[in-house]
Amino acid sequence: MQVREVMNPSVVSIDPEESAALAARLLARHNVGSLPVCSASGELRGVVTDRDIVLRCVAAQEDPRKVPVGKIMSRRPTAVTPQDDVRQAARLMSSQQVRRLPVVEQGKVVGVVSLGDLAKCGRYEMEISRALTDISENIRQP
């Protein structure tokens, strides 16, 4: 099964020049934990998570209204293509310790695939379970 069959094609993204405060509002409004950071032409530049905002902005006593997302985002995010196999996506999530991957085609973000999306397909329980276990174990470690 390919990523295109399970990904969410409705992508909420943010420009690197927008504020961390706007990113936080978008995360809350859309009930997601990360946003692809894209150029005006849709090219992936990074990913910003709720954790990035807390640790790199709020905990650093920066003003989220003034800090651009480009300053706090994770650079060089792992991504998949729509043609990639969902098992490969699960392995990447496990090895990179992420719950969501941007889906990129011809340099532009066309979707997002999450562990939840993979779980809904119901065919790769072992890979999904392993990815979730690996991610959860590393979060608990100091």
Side-chain angles (χ1 to χ4, degrees):
M1 179 177 285
Q2 293 182 327
V3 168
R4 80 168 67 255
E5 297 172 59
V6 298
M7 73 179 199
N8 182 348
S10 299
V11 180
V12 178
S13 63
I14 192 165
D15 184 277
E17 299 304 315
E18 295 291 350
S19 72
L22 175 60
R25 287 192 304 274
L26 288 171
L27 290 167
R29 182 179 305 141
H30 296 282
N31 193 30
V32 294
S34 67
L35 297 172
V37 180
C38 300
S39 66
S41 63
E43 294 177 56
L44 184 64
R45 298 289 186 227
V47 171
V48 66
T49 66
D50 45 7
R51 183 175 168 87
D52 293 329
I53 295 168
V54 170
L55 296 179
R56 296 178 182 162
C57 182
V58 177
Q61 298 183 341
E62 299 278 347
D63 184 346
R65 295 171 298 176
K66 296 179 182 174
V67 174
V69 167
K71 182 178 176 185
I72 62 169
M73 71 183 182
S74 298
R75 299 181 191 317
R76 292 175 299 221
T78 302
V80 291
T81 70
Q83 298 79 23
D84 286 336
D85 187 272
V86 295
R87 288 174 291 207
Q88 174 64 16
R91 284 191 292 271
L92 280 172
M93 288 178 190
S94 177
S95 68
Q96 298 299 309
Q97 301 296 296
V98 296
R99 295 173 186 262
R100 293 164 205 83
L101 293 171
V103 181
V104 177
E105 188 168 45
Q106 297 178 347
K108 298 188 191 266
V109 176
V110 296
V112 173
V113 64
S114 70
L115 276 177
D117 297 328
L118 298 181
K120 288 177 193 172
C121 76
R123 294 173 69 188
Y124 305 104
E125 289 87 3
M126 186 66 108
E127 290 90 345
I128 295 162
S129 177
R130 172 172 276 183
L132 185 56
T133 299
D134 289 347
I135 293 166
S136 298
E137 283 179 356
N138 283 327
I139 289 173
R140 282 187 243 132
Q141 294 177 0

